[in-house]
Amino acid sequence: MKFTAAVCAILVASTGAFSPASVSRTSTQLYGGAGNPNPFGTKSLDYQGGTDPNAKTVRLRDRLQEADTERRKAKEAAEARERAAEIRREERQKKIDYMNNMPDDTPAGTVDEYMFKEGVQDQLDKLDEDLVGLNAVKKRVKEIAALLVLDKMRRKLGFETSVPSLHMSFTGAPGTGKTTVAVRMGQILAKMGYSRRGHVVLATRDDLVGQYVGHTAPKTKEMIKKAMGGMLLVDEAYYLYNAANDRDYGQESIEILLNVMENNRDDLVVAVAGYKDRMDKFFSYIPGMMSRIGNHINFPNYTPDELVEIAGLMAGQLEYDIQPEAFPVFKSYIEKRMDLPYFSNARTVRNAMDRARMNSAIRLFDRFAINGENGGVCTVDDLKAITPDDFQVLLDDIVNSDASKRIFA
């Protein structure tokens, strides 16, 4: 018995030696005592979920309110669509009744009345004054104006009408009057009520395409915003697309323009301009652009006689008089200049006139200031005259200059 009691005592002592009870008490004391079940000493981390008996009720009420709001919005939208459809049916029925009761001899007004009253004829007259020649271009512009006038007359009588496609393409060499026609066309559209403002905003690739990701869309939309209510003229539009680079940012600008041409055609006319061969290639790459443009106008190069006439008009606007014997000299200069690179039609004429004016000023300065002719007093005719010598300087520069420098004459 004594031996058994001794063995039991040894086992109890061994069990006590490996018991974790004392460690737990010591550990608990370190973090705030045995009375706190949270070892961190606070109740901030205790789970509190499920203590609010109304939580489920609140969530259910919120969901029911959201569902009621959605049903109410859907009902209001359906009622608005029904009201709009009813208004359209009433308007259509009124138009039908008006057409049925209208006598066949009801006057719609004369075409001339609309042309003059709306100011369209005035714009066409100004176009004739501003542009020499270009009869085919003027004819096309008058055809568009005629469509707008007749469409307005039909609308007055109650006929069904729709805004025609007014997007345009102007093709031709520089200096052939594309911008001038665009300005007149914008004013005609404003006179007829097809645009709110009738202004023209000129844009190039630099105005529409950005230089890094995310830059193109804001630039393009900003130019579109400026042109809203009028016309956006994109000069040399083929530079927007680079077939050799799939990552070129110009494609993004084109997509925005196509979207606006389709969805905002009632408030914005988009016109693209450039050389005809390059524009044809551009349209082959972007067929969506071609299909949205209903008016294609080609601007041919001016003839030498037309360019001489343009020079006379420019001189008259600046109150200069080109002497009759000076015109043949200028024509000879133009004929030779047309065979050289970078010829720009009316722009080349303008540059030539600027140089002729400078030559006239040098000639008068030498006569009256340096040489003291007539006591240094010159007449009004002297100040207004453009002589053959003033154009001869330009002609001599082409004839006598090296081949590489003739384009600067």
Side-chain angles (χ1 to χ4, degrees), residues 150-327:
L150 270 297
D151 187 69
K152 195 162 189 176
M153 294 176 69
R154 285 173 54 87
R155 192 185 309 167
K156 179 181 178 181
L157 293 178
F159 287 103
E160 288 291 337
T161 61
S162 63
V163 177
S165 176
L166 297 174
H167 301 309
M168 303 178 188
S169 170
F170 299 150
T171 56
T176 51
K178 296 186 292 293
T179 304
T180 301
V181 171
V183 171
R184 293 299 172 208
M185 201 68 237
Q187 293 171 347
I188 290 174
L189 294 176
K191 295 289 184 181
M192 295 301 300
Y194 286 93
S195 67
R196 292 182 287 110
R197 299 165 62 187
H199 66 300
V200 177
V201 175
L202 180 63
T204 62
R205 177 187 167 92
D206 291 340
D207 300 311
L208 299 172
V209 181
Q211 299 178 354
Y212 50 85
V213 176
H215 191 208
T216 296
K219 291 189 69 173
T220 301
K221 291 178 181 179
E222 179 64 24
M223 294 303 297
I224 291 173
K225 182 179 179 181
K226 292 180 181 179
M228 274 296 177
M231 177 183 292
L232 176 64
L233 176 60
V234 183
D235 195 19
E236 296 184 313
Y238 34 76
Y239 286 129
L240 292 178
Y241 182 78
N242 185 359
N245 185 2
D246 294 337
R247 297 183 179 181
D248 184 70
Y249 301 134
Q251 182 65 38
E252 182 180 1
S253 179
I254 293 173
E255 292 173 357
I256 295 174
L257 287 174
L258 292 176
N259 185 58
V260 170
M261 291 171 69
E262 186 66 27
N263 298 330
N264 299 90
R265 60 182 181 273
D266 294 344
D267 198 35
L268 177 66
V269 175
V270 176
V272 292
Y275 289 101
K276 181 169 175 44
D277 55 342
R278 297 185 185 181
M279 289 300 297
D280 291 342
K281 190 174 183 180
F282 172 70
F283 288 140
S284 69
Y285 289 131
I286 314 293
M289 182 74 73
M290 180 72 171
S291 63
R292 285 169 172 80
I293 294 177
N295 303 284
H296 296 265
I297 303 177
N298 185 48
F299 291 70
N301 289 323
Y302 287 105
T303 65
D305 289 333
E306 290 173 340
L307 293 172
V308 171
E309 186 177 352
I310 290 174
L313 291 176
M314 290 182 177
Q317 292 171 354
L318 297 173
E319 297 188 11
Y320 278 91
D321 292 330
I322 300 178
Q323 294 180 353
E325 57 271 20
F327 284 109

Side-chain angles (χ1 to χ4, degrees), residues 1-51:
M1 291 295 293
K2 292 181 179 180
F3 176 76
T4 302
V7 171
C8 291
I10 292 172
L11 292 174
V12 170
S14 300
T15 303
F18 292 98
S19 174
S22 61
V23 176
S24 298
R25 287 194 298 271
T26 303
S27 176
T28 301
Q29 290 294 330
L30 291 175
Y31 292 101
N36 185 5
N38 185 354
F40 293 98
T42 66
K43 294 184 178 182
S44 62
L45 299 180
D46 290 348
Y47 175 70
Q48 301 295 330
T51 59

Side-chain angles (χ1 to χ4, degrees), residues 4 24 27 38 52 79 86 101 131 142 145 174 300 304 314 318 382:
T4 302
S24 298
S27 176
N38 185 354
D52 186 1
E79 292 176 351
E86 183 64 26
N101 298 327
L131 291 180
K142 290 178 181 179
M314 290 182 177
L318 297 173
D382 292 328

